[in-house]
Amino acid sequence: MEFFLYLIYLVITLVVVSLGDYYFRLLHLSGKDTFEKQELTDWARIIPSKIVSIFESAGSLQFGLLAFGLSAFFAYVWTLTGGLIGSPHYTDSFGNYFFLSFLMPVLMLAFYSFISSEVLRAARISRNSGSFLARLLNQEIPLLSGIFISVIASNLAVYGLYHEISFLFVFPNVLILTVLLILRWNGKVKFGGIRVDREEEDGEDLGEDS
């Protein structure tokens, strides 16, 4: 029951965050003062196009979907880990709050470029080699999106089904993850001077290859 509820929230979260990103871009980044009704309410066009653009952000819909699915599954398993070291994963305990928190997604967001580079270096694979692992790790946006959206969905599923963890934890946790993901989609996230956006990574890769 919980897993099916998680899947429902996963889809709902993906749709809601995609809409949030669309309106953030439209209202704050577009520089426009007036909008047509179709721009604001044509959700049948807005939602599918936005979701596809997330999966295709690195140029491959197939690898984007695969990366999103794998990272979402990994994140879901991560949120269940608190149940292995203490009380069940849905109860009001420190371990569950840790594994359901925004900490893991934020660390992945901050250090994804470093982690992916180290994995490829350990495997002796060039980022531009076209190998399966290189193409998968190049799907930064789908991978990070899968992690963030999965953790949000897991928070909602656990709280919605059991009501044992605190709402005062779930609400800010979900809000932080949502805001950070939207900012990342728009290249607005900085951590300690480390710019985590696709343009900088591409520049670094070119420098390494030369």
Side-chain angles (χ1 to χ4, degrees), residues 107-195:
L107 288 174
M108 287 297 297
L109 173 64
F111 298 105
Y112 182 81
S113 179
F114 171 77
I115 294 171
S116 62
S117 296
E118 288 301 308
V119 170
L120 291 174
R121 184 175 292 113
R124 298 181 182 275
I125 297 174
S126 169
R127 185 176 291 276
N128 300 317
S129 65
S131 67
F132 176 83
L133 181 59
R135 294 186 67 184
L136 185 65
L137 291 177
N138 282 338
Q139 309 298 315
E140 179 183 345
I141 294 298
L143 277 166
L144 291 175
S145 299
I147 291 172
F148 272 69
I149 290 173
S150 182
V151 172
I152 293 173
S154 189
N155 271 264
L156 296 175
V158 168
Y159 179 78
L161 189 60
Y162 302 106
H163 294 288
E164 293 197 26
I165 61 175
S166 173
F167 176 77
L168 294 178
F169 167 82
V170 173
F171 178 73
N173 197 47
V174 168
L175 185 61
I176 290 170
L177 290 168
T178 299
V179 170
L180 284 177
L181 183 57
I182 291 175
L183 291 176
R184 178 61 192 90
W185 282 347
N186 291 280
K188 301 295 184 180
V189 181
K190 288 184 178 181
F191 283 88
I194 302 175
R195 181 78 179 188

Side-chain angles (χ1 to χ4, degrees), residues 22-23 26 32 34-43 45-46:
Y22 174 81
Y23 288 119
L26 183 66
K32 298 173 64 175
T34 58
F35 308 95
E36 297 180 2
K37 181 180 179 181
Q38 185 178 9
E39 290 181 286
L40 297 172
T41 60
D42 188 9
W43 297 329
R45 174 190 59 84
I46 295 169

